[in-house]
Amino acid sequence: MKNKSRHTPIKETLHQVLGKMKMYKIPASPNWYYEFWIGKCKLFPKGKRERKSTDETKYTIAKEIATENYMTYLSAKKNNNIKQIAKVSNMKVENSFEYVGQLFLVQKRKDDDNKVEARTNEAFKKNPHWTDIQKEDYKSKLTDQKIREHKRLKDMLNDMTLDFGKKDVKEITKQDILNFVDSLKTKDNRPYTDSSKNKYRTLAKQILNYAYDNTDDKGERFLNQLIYIPTTSNTSQNYNPPFTTINFDKITLELKRRMYDVSNKEILKILKSPSVFKDLKQDFRDKFLKHTLSNTQEIWNEIHDSVLFIYGSFLRSGSEFTEMRFKDISIQDLIVDSKKQKVLQLRPIASKVKTYDYDTYSMPFCVSLFKDTMIRNENYKPDNFVFFNHSYPTYKRRNTFGKWLSDKFREVLEFTDTRHDPKTGQTMSLRCLRNTALTRRRESSNANPFDIASNARTSTEMLNRFYNRQVDRKKIASKVLSFK
């Protein structure tokens, strides 16, 4: 409250100027302040309260400065001059880092809108039967993602502004950026992760590149020389470790326990008696086929199948898995270990990386999971989502589904005490299922790393950097040294 009162306008000095602009003094400073409202625009979608010090103690001079700035804003608003509106917010410094940063975000927003349009048209080409509602649903989902990303960038720019945002962009040095990033700390006073630091470095790099490529109001470049901002090569924080065999077994057992809706003590007793366990599975299966499972059993049965499907399909747990529809999957015959087996052929509607926009093939056990989804979704249509279609039936709601599934999986990890990797201590999540599958393939399969990576629609570099850092080297060595 003390800090607030020091910056609260002194009532005796408060008065209106030019109708909608206020001028006043505050206890914390001898100078006059002015304030007016910047209306909604592309730069400030929700509007912005513009509050500045005139740096003048004499009212007549302060009023002149405030009036000039306010009139500049009114002129910019009338002509819809986004550049000039941005500059009004940074009148003290002609080409401040904050001003250039705001211009960059406006340009990025335009570029993102074009990308959303292009990606929507690309998806529509793959699905010409889409209705206008389905196409708009897909576009709306992509737009929401870009809006969230833009908000994150805006918050990061605000963080930077507190340190050096008011400096002329020409005065910003590489060391200014690096010192700021290295000083970042979380609420509990811990240093930011390498991944988080890289996000700030990348934003600073993009803003400075924009400054080098664009000109100010005088037609001169904001920056005459490009400033190189390095990003760290330490990507340990981006690495998702695989589940150990013991922990993965714990997780699948807990999923089954919740699916069968029995207590911990009951499941242990049941497992000790194969005949009792067989009867339990048969009873559950009968209810599943008749659609008479309880609500709890239905939910955890589908969660159980979702988890195993992610693991066995090599899909990324984010957009690739959540967006899979029935029309994106087909059952195919494949020769595996000299035997003809049924596997799934999958093709995500929009691959995360365009380079790998092609089919992938699942492990054989995914076929039974897929057939169960057909039973679960009676009278399904090709455009229905494979999992939790009734609860989250649109593209826009699939983001909610992804978060909900992640939360449920985290709940299981915490219950089974498998939330952290025993070797590195890193936090485990739904994303680790893909890593687990690829690590096990590398250890047990006779296929070379390139083929394993190719089937999972990634590169051997990514396989080595992110997926296979915890493979059992003895198993790898035994295959390398074998002459069979």
Side-chain angles (χ1 to χ4, degrees):
M1 291 299 290
K2 185 177 180 182
N3 289 336
K4 185 177 179 182
S5 63
R6 282 172 53 78
H7 295 86
T8 302
I10 301 171
K11 285 186 179 180
E12 293 75 21
T13 65
L14 183 63
H15 56 279
Q16 299 287 129
V17 179
L18 296 176
K20 293 187 178 181
M21 182 176 71
K22 300 175 184 176
M23 287 192 67
Y24 52 81
K25 283 191 171 185
I26 60 174
S29 171
N31 298 323
W32 281 92
Y33 280 73
Y34 67 91
E35 178 183 312
F36 60 86
W37 182 256
I38 293 179
K40 293 180 181 180
C41 59
K42 285 189 176 180
L43 195 60
F44 304 111
K46 295 182 180 180
K48 181 193 175 189
R49 185 181 71 153
E50 186 64 15
R51 183 186 188 186
K52 288 278 193 301
S53 169
T54 61
D55 291 328
E56 287 291 340
T57 55
K58 291 185 178 179
Y59 175 72
T60 51
I61 299 175
K63 183 180 178 182
E64 226 175 274
I65 293 171
T67 302
E68 181 183 349
N69 290 352
Y70 185 54
M71 294 303 291
T72 301
Y73 162 68
L74 292 179
S75 173
K77 180 185 176 184
K78 183 178 180 181
N79 298 315
N80 196 25
N81 189 333
I82 297 296
K83 250 190 176 186
Q84 196 61 41
I85 292 176
K87 208 158 196 175
V88 167
S89 293
N90 301 277
M91 290 300 288
K92 291 182 195 174
V93 181
E94 189 172 0
N95 293 319
S96 71
F97 181 84
E98 181 185 14
Y99 166 53
V100 177
Q102 288 171 345
L103 293 180
F104 163 74
L105 290 183
V106 170
Q107 184 59 50
K108 189 175 189 315
R109 191 65 179 270
K110 290 178 182 176
D111 293 342
D112 284 345
D113 288 344
N114 292 333
K115 287 177 182 177
V116 166
E117 197 67 41
R119 192 171 171 186
T120 302
N121 291 334
E122 184 182 336
F124 186 61
K125 284 180 182 178
K126 291 183 180 180
N127 301 272
H129 60 282
W130 272 2
T131 63
D132 289 341
I133 294 175
Q134 287 175 313
K135 184 179 179 181
E136 194 57 37
D137 175 35
Y138 184 79
K139 182 178 179 180
S140 176
K141 173 225 162 200
L142 296 179
T143 302
D144 287 347
Q145 289 176 347
K146 293 299 182 184
I147 288 173
R148 287 196 298 274
E149 181 188 348
H150 189 78
K151 184 181 182 304
R152 178 178 62 81
L153 293 177
K154 193 173 180 181
D155 290 341
M156 288 166 62
L157 177 61
N158 289 339
D159 290 342
M160 292 181 178
T161 300
L162 295 174
D163 270 47
F164 49 79
K166 301 301 180 186
K167 289 177 70 174
D168 190 303
V169 72
K170 287 188 173 72
E171 297 174 13
I172 303 292
T173 65
K174 178 175 79 172
Q175 204 55 47
D176 286 334
I177 304 291
L178 298 181
N179 288 342
F180 165 77
V181 171
D182 289 339
S183 69
L184 290 170
K185 284 185 170 55
T186 61
K187 291 180 180 178
D188 52 358
N189 209 34
R190 289 187 301 168
Y192 271 34
T193 63
D194 292 334
S195 176
S196 296
K197 287 181 179 180
N198 264 344
K199 288 174 183 175
Y200 279 92
R201 290 193 188 99
T202 300
L203 177 58
K205 189 175 183 177
Q206 290 174 330
I207 291 173
L208 294 175
N209 285 349
Y210 176 87
Y212 179 72
D213 292 335
N214 290 273
T215 58
D216 59 19
D217 293 342
K218 298 175 184 176
E220 298 176 0
R221 284 189 178 187
F222 290 109
L223 269 184
N224 296 321
Q225 186 175 357
L226 191 61
I227 300 173
Y228 172 69
I229 306 296
T231 53
T232 178
S233 59
N234 184 350
T235 52
S236 60
Q237 297 298 330
N238 294 329
Y239 168 61
N240 293 316
F243 289 105
T244 64
T245 304
I246 293 173
N247 283 354
F248 190 69
D249 289 344
K250 283 183 182 178
I251 293 164
T252 53
L253 178 60
E254 176 59 20
L255 288 169
K256 282 183 170 60
R257 184 190 72 78
R258 296 185 181 214
M259 179 176 74
Y260 293 138
D261 198 15
V262 295
S263 67
N264 278 323
K265 288 183 178 179
E266 286 176 315
I267 194 69
L268 292 174
K269 288 180 181 178
I270 292 167
L271 290 174
K272 289 178 181 178
S273 174
S275 60
V276 175
F277 188 42
K278 184 179 178 180
D279 290 341
L280 176 67
K281 288 196 294 184
Q282 188 58 52
D283 178 60
F284 182 88
R285 188 67 187 173
D286 290 342
K287 289 180 179 177
F288 174 78
L289 295 173
K290 294 175 183 177
H291 299 283
T292 57
L293 292 173
S294 69
N295 185 54
T296 300
Q297 288 178 318
E298 282 182 355
I299 290 173
W300 283 103
N301 173 232
E302 199 158 2
I303 292 173
H304 168 273
D305 288 2
S306 296
V307 169
L308 291 185
F309 195 88
I310 295 171
Y311 171 75
S313 64
F314 306 106
L315 292 173
R316 293 171 176 87
S317 62
S319 60
E320 289 187 354
F321 166 73
T322 58
E323 293 179 9
M324 290 303 290
R325 297 180 187 264
F326 282 96
K327 65 182 178 58
D328 302 324
I329 302 174
S330 63
I331 299 174
Q332 301 287 335
D333 288 324
L334 202 68
I335 303 299
V336 181
D337 295 330
S338 303
K339 295 178 183 178
K340 186 171 23 174
Q341 294 195 45
K342 299 288 185 183
V343 298
L344 297 181
Q345 181 182 21
L346 309 99
R347 182 74 175 269
I349 186 171
S351 179
K352 185 178 179 182
V353 185
K354 265 192 175 182
T355 312
Y356 308 117
D357 186 13
Y358 49 75
D359 299 338
T360 186
Y361 292 85
S362 74
M363 294 185 194
F365 71 80
C366 285
V367 174
S368 63
L369 297 175
F370 182 59
K371 287 182 177 178
D372 278 355
T373 63
M374 295 177 178
I375 296 169
R376 190 179 291 118
N377 297 276
E378 285 186 305
N379 303 316
Y380 69 88
K381 296 178 181 178
D383 271 324
N384 288 157
F385 291 107
V386 179
F387 290 98
F388 289 96
N389 178 74
H390 299 302
S391 303
Y392 303 94
T394 66
Y395 271 120
K396 196 167 184 179
R397 295 211 66 208
R398 296 314 277 182
N399 290 328
T400 307
F401 165 55
K403 291 173 186 175
W404 176 83
L405 184 61
S406 294
D407 288 344
K408 289 295 183 183
F409 189 67
R410 183 176 68 246
E411 184 183 315
V412 171
L413 296 184
E414 290 171 348
F415 187 84
T416 55
D417 196 24
T418 56
R419 178 77 167 131
H420 295 94
D421 177 52
K423 291 183 180 179
T424 64
Q426 283 180 252
T427 304
M428 308 295 283
S429 67
L430 203 63
R431 294 175 182 273
C432 297
L433 291 170
R434 173 175 159 90
N435 195 347
T436 304
L438 291 176
T439 301
R440 299 293 172 262
R441 290 298 91 201
R442 185 76 181 276
E443 290 173 345
S444 307
S445 172
N446 290 319
N448 62 57
F450 173 79
D451 290 337
I452 294 172
S454 179
N455 186 60
R457 290 167 297 103
T458 188
S459 65
T460 50
E461 181 188 359
M462 292 295 287
L463 196 70
N464 290 323
R465 284 182 63 192
F466 295 100
Y467 294 112
N468 288 167
R469 286 168 61 175
Q470 283 193 35
V471 292
D472 188 326
R473 294 297 163 183
K474 282 188 177 180
K475 289 184 178 180
I476 297 294
S478 67
K479 291 194 296 181
V480 172
L481 300 176
S482 172
F483 285 96
K484 290 182 180 179

